[in-house]
Amino acid sequence: MLKDIIDSVREKSPLIHNITNYVTANDCANILLACGASPIMADDLEEVEEITAICDGLNINIGTLNCRTVESMLMAGRKANQLGHPVTLDPVGVGASVFRRKTAFHLLEEIQFDVIRGNISEMKTLANGQGTTKGVDVDMADVITEENLMQAVLFAKDFSKKCDAIIAITGGIDIVADSKKAYCIYNGHPMMSSVTGTGCQLSAITTAYITANSKNKLEAVVAAVCSMGMCGEIAYERLSSMDGNSSYRNYIIDAIYHLDGETLQSRANYRIL
């Protein structure tokens, strides 16, 4: 049950190593603390292997790449694989530049990821070798709707089989899939797109969820995606007429902090295909 997954995170309090982008590092650290995990942010070549070795899971995010951190990602990812630690990839804006695409493909070649989480445009770029994007946001031509949902589900399952990883595609309708089963998730609120880093935060807590639930990773990713979406709903319900996207960001973190297993179980909105 989903409630058991979030309870496990709070009980085990996994230590998560994040090599993430500097735009959202603080929010990722705070969301991990809010969900019951512990964060470490470390990307220097001199320590990434050592830090990964003392952690329980690794979250790699390519949002603000540079040549130094690329090598750090590779070193940490290989070390995590060697130790059997779960690893998540967030290919932020992978279609925006040749550098990002080359880096993402190199990471996929060298590291076995447990979860790849991104929007549909990012996933299509990873799967097809090229794609379109609006900066780091989804291309409107790729948006998942009820009309093209089955096509997107089949894409996610095929990509999961190709990568041997759980695929989490987030947007208006979220899809979490392995090669055999897909969850279509309807939690969330449109205002979440007005806050920089909700996707990065989701990748961070996804890493915590799969680390604390290593024998049930697919449902752990579902729980993470549902958690973030419903906390977006709860945060929106809390907004006053004087609040804006800055308050909304903080309210999302507050909602994650207060989220319990029973609420997750009762408010999760998904169907299985």
Side-chain angles (χ1 to χ4, degrees), residues 27 44-45 68 73 82-83 89 95 102 124 149 177 200 208 268:
D27 287 337
D44 193 88
L45 289 168
R68 176 185 59 82
M73 292 172 181
Q82 177 188 337
L83 296 172
L89 173 65
K102 286 183 176 179
K124 285 186 175 181
L149 180 60
C200 299

Side-chain angles (χ1 to χ4, degrees), residues 127-263:
N128 302 325
Q130 59 183 1
T132 57
T133 183
K134 181 185 177 184
V136 298
D137 297 322
V138 68
D139 189 316
M140 291 307 296
D142 293 332
V143 170
I144 298 173
T145 65
E146 287 293 342
E147 287 70 27
N148 63 17
L149 180 60
M150 184 54 67
Q151 181 181 355
V153 165
L154 292 174
F155 164 79
K157 289 180 177 179
D158 288 343
F159 191 37
S160 174
K161 185 176 182 179
K162 176 182 177 181
C163 296
D164 191 24
I166 296 166
I167 302 301
I169 303 173
T170 49
I173 303 172
D174 303 317
I175 298 172
V176 175
D178 61 15
S179 61
K180 298 178 180 178
K181 183 189 292 187
Y183 290 78
C184 300
I185 300 168
Y186 295 86
N187 290 109
H189 192 277
M191 192 174 177
M192 295 179 78
S193 64
S194 72
V195 177
T196 296
T198 52
C200 299
Q201 290 174 308
L202 174 55
S203 293
I205 65 171
T206 294
T207 311
Y209 276 46
I210 62 171
T211 301
N213 298 274
S214 59
K215 295 182 179 179
N216 196 18
K217 290 179 183 175
L218 180 63
E219 282 68 32
V221 180
V222 173
V225 174
C226 288
S227 294
M228 194 69 186
M230 70 177 61
C231 285
E233 298 167 357
I234 292 167
Y236 184 78
E237 293 164 5
R238 182 180 170 184
L239 290 174
S240 73
S241 60
M242 295 299 293
D243 288 327
N245 63 342
S246 179
S247 298
Y248 185 54
R249 176 194 62 192
N250 291 333
Y251 292 163
I252 290 173
I253 296 173
D254 288 346
I256 290 287
Y257 180 85
H258 290 289
L259 185 65
D260 57 58
E262 294 292 344
T263 303

Side-chain angles (χ1 to χ4, degrees), residues 36-51:
S38 296
I40 289 183
M41 273 58 184
D43 63 14
D44 193 88
L45 289 168
E46 292 296 319
E47 69 170 356
V48 286
E49 289 184 317
E50 184 179 1
I51 293 296

Side-chain angles (χ1 to χ4, degrees), residues 109-145:
E109 290 171 357
E110 296 290 330
I111 301 168
Q112 178 59 57
F113 291 97
D114 295 86
V115 180
I116 304 172
R117 191 223 63 83
N119 64 46
I120 184 63
S121 297
E122 291 163 344
M123 292 300 187
K124 285 186 175 181
T125 298
L126 290 182
N128 302 325
Q130 59 183 1
T132 57
T133 183
K134 181 185 177 184
V136 298
D137 297 322
V138 68
D139 189 316
M140 291 307 296
D142 293 332
V143 170
I144 298 173
T145 65

Side-chain angles (χ1 to χ4, degrees), residues 18 24-34 37-41 201 204:
N18 300 269
T24 62
N26 181 264
D27 287 337
C28 289
N30 280 321
I31 206 89
L32 282 167
L33 290 169
S38 296
I40 289 183
M41 273 58 184
Q201 290 174 308

